[in-house]
Amino acid sequence: MEKICKRCVSNHSISSLKLDVNGICQFCKIHDEMEAEYPLNENSFKELLKISDQIKGEGKGKKFDCVVGVSGGKDSSYLLCTGLFEEPSE
């Protein structure tokens, strides 16, 4: 029987995939933990800026403010832009 997550449909093509007794993978569980710790709501952007400002402050006077891993995907690109620019206008 093929392993497929009932929630995100990840399958055996991910060699490290592990399903719990309910058929939910470890990646969905990690997502749930992160969502609980850092919920997306009306304060999310302000919290992200606060973390960014803290990192920048700790880097003041040093050769680099911080290191940002960027994959080129939309999430890491957004993170990079929020660290460099003001709140995006919608």
Side-chain angles (χ1 to χ4, degrees):
M1 186 157 132
E2 184 177 15
K3 294 192 306 185
I4 299 176
C5 177
K6 290 181 178 178
R7 187 161 148 200
C8 71
V9 298
S10 290
N11 64 22
H12 69 280
S13 65
I14 302 170
S15 61
S16 62
L17 185 74
K18 293 181 177 88
L19 302 176
D20 68 9
V21 295
N22 298 312
I24 306 299
C25 74
Q26 73 268 31
F27 306 113
C28 286
K29 290 181 178 189
I30 291 168
H31 176 272
D32 292 344
E33 290 170 9
M34 295 296 290
E35 180 67 25
E37 189 170 350
Y38 304 103
L40 294 176
N41 57 38
E42 63 278 350
N43 296 319
S44 297
F45 189 79
K46 289 178 184 175
E47 287 299 315
L48 181 60
L49 286 180
K50 188 165 54 170
I51 292 168
S52 176
D53 289 343
Q54 178 185 352
I55 293 169
K56 287 180 184 180
E58 291 171 0
K60 278 283 195 236
K62 296 181 181 174
K63 187 173 180 179
F64 300 102
D65 289 326
C66 65
V67 175
V68 179
V70 179
S71 67
K74 62 183 175 184
D75 294 335
S76 60
S77 297
Y78 180 79
L79 175 65
L80 180 61
C81 287
T82 58
L84 296 175
F85 306 110
E86 298 296 318
E87 183 172 354
S89 59
E90 293 185 23

